Amino acid sequence: MTDNTIIIIGAGGSIANAFLREQHNRFPAHNLITISRNVHDKIADNHQHFQCDNSEQQIQAVTQSLSTVVKTAQSITVFNGQLHNEAFSPEKRLEDINEHYLSWILKANTITPMLWLKYIGQRLGPKSRCVITFLSARVASIDDNELGGWYAYRASKAALNMAVKTASIELARRAKYCKCVLFHPGTTDTNLSKPFQKNVPEGKLFTPNFVAQQLSTLITTRDINGQVDYIDWQGKAINW
Ligand SMILES: NC(=O)c1ccc[n+]([C@@H]2O[C@H](COP(=O)([O-])OP(=O)(O)OC[C@H]3O[C@@H](n4cnc5c(N)ncnc54)[C@H](OP(=O)(O)O)[C@@H]3O)[C@@H](O)[C@H]2O)c1
């Protein structure tokens, strides 16, 4: 089997787009497959795009049509995640917890990635050699939570971390050359972080290109050891 396919899910985001271009520069002959809720410009002849509304039915249909390439993919990276919208911002105190915001965040940050994990995971086998990465966040660390607030976002990413950790135990048995990674990009200049950038220390607001390069290097140098790595943009382990 050849592992020459790169799959990018949630490809419409800023970090995802930078990562797509970075991967193409690094592996120009590799097949690129992107998946997003929206249309996406083709960046090369070997780039194929799929639209998906992230319903279970469509996720199942897309992974079904990609069955063979998923089995032989070199990397699968899931970027989906949200933080704020026109109606809601992260909670500052208990009184701000809101059912609609919680449901929206949990769907985007936990349920959508878990459904991708479900349909991708069952297609990986003993011959697959793949790094499967999910964009997590340092604020998902229970150990590291000293500031409080951001209930929904923290909980949704912590739940994602637990799901990926659980899947890595199963994958170690059924696809032992596959590796799961939970990646914290650091505060990156995208729509998601825009409203929260003013207190970021100088030099600590990263460009999507910088983060894409770090992520690329980190996933191509991972030790395939049946463990999930929860790491930041420098490759440093984050406490759970
Ligand atoms: N920027 C930061 O400072 C920062 C820090 C820590 C962690 N992260 C994480 O990094 C990832 C990428 O974020 P970004 O900074 O590049 O932000 P972005 O440009 O706003 O990208 C948002 C991502 O979420 C997906 N998305 C948007 N709405 C969605 C919905 N309703 N349901 C499911 N998916 C949805 C998008 O996919 P499509 O539009 O292609 O479907 C895209 O992959 C997120 O998981 C985020 O939590 C970012």
Side-chain angles (χ1 to χ4, degrees):
M1 271 202 256
T2 50
D3 46 1
N4 63 354
T5 300
I6 292 158
I7 302 178
I8 297 176
I9 301 173
S14 300
I15 303 175
N17 253 299
F19 182 72
L20 169 65
R21 283 169 173 75
E22 207 286 334
Q23 289 285 281
H24 182 54
N25 288 341
R26 210 178 267 237
F27 306 108
H30 282 34
N31 297 317
L32 298 168
I33 292 175
T34 54
I35 300 162
S36 168
R37 291 163 307 147
N38 303 307
V39 291
H40 197 294
D41 290 339
K42 213 169 135 95
I43 68 155
D45 288 342
N46 51 357
H47 175 198
Q48 217 186 339
H49 183 67
F50 293 80
Q51 250 183 284
C52 178
D53 66 7
N54 294 321
S55 62
E56 180 158 6
Q57 200 185 16
Q58 286 204 9
I59 290 175
Q60 183 176 21
V62 170
T63 42
Q64 176 73 38
S65 64
L66 292 174
S67 225
T68 313
V69 279
V70 166
K71 252 188 211 101
T72 62
Q74 166 180 295
S75 71
I76 301 171
T77 311
V78 181
F79 286 88
N80 300 79
Q82 281 292 275
L83 177 59
H84 58 88
N85 59 27
E86 309 77 46
F88 295 108
S89 284
E91 312 88 342
K92 291 198 169 103
R93 46 192 199 140
L94 281 170
E95 287 82 345
D96 298 334
I97 293 176
N98 178 283
E99 182 184 358
H100 302 292
Y101 178 56
L102 254 181
S103 303
W104 177 71
I105 285 270
L106 285 167
K107 172 73 176 87
N109 296 6
T110 317
I111 297 171
T112 294
M114 277 182 76
L115 289 172
W116 283 110
L117 180 60
K118 170 181 173 181
Y119 288 101
I120 286 164
Q122 59 193 263
R123 285 181 169 78
L124 298 170
K127 292 188 176 157
S128 306
R129 286 167 191 276
C130 183
V131 178
I132 312 139
T133 305
F134 294 80
L135 273 277
S136 181
R138 192 185 299 281
V139 295
S141 165
I142 291 170
D143 206 45
D144 192 61
N145 185 358
E146 290 185 354
L147 283 178
W150 291 38
Y151 285 89
Y153 189 74
R154 284 184 191 277
S156 67
K157 292 285 190 182
L160 170 70
N161 286 3
M162 181 56 94
V164 174
K165 165 77 189 177
T166 305
S168 74
I169 293 168
E170 199 174 331
L171 287 177
R173 294 193 289 262
R174 55 159 103 176
K176 66 176 180 181
Y177 300 112
C178 291
K179 167 90 181 172
C180 292
V181 175
L182 289 155
F183 177 70
H184 168 60
T187 309
T188 309
D189 187 9
T190 68
N191 283 342
L192 183 138
S193 69
K194 251 330 161 244
F196 312 99
Q197 292 178 359
K198 65 175 185 301
N199 294 327
V200 179
E202 181 136 2
K204 290 288 186 203
L205 179 64
F206 302 136
T207 64
N209 285 345
F210 169 74
V211 171
Q213 279 164 19
Q214 295 297 111
L215 175 57
S216 242
T217 302
L218 287 168
I219 62 172
T220 40
T221 54
R222 281 298 90 192
D223 189 16
I224 310 279
N225 55 4
Q227 303 287 316
V228 58
D229 290 349
Y230 178 28
I231 51 171
D232 71 9
W233 53 276
Q234 303 168 93
K236 282 197 180 152
I238 301 174
N239 286 339
W240 297 91

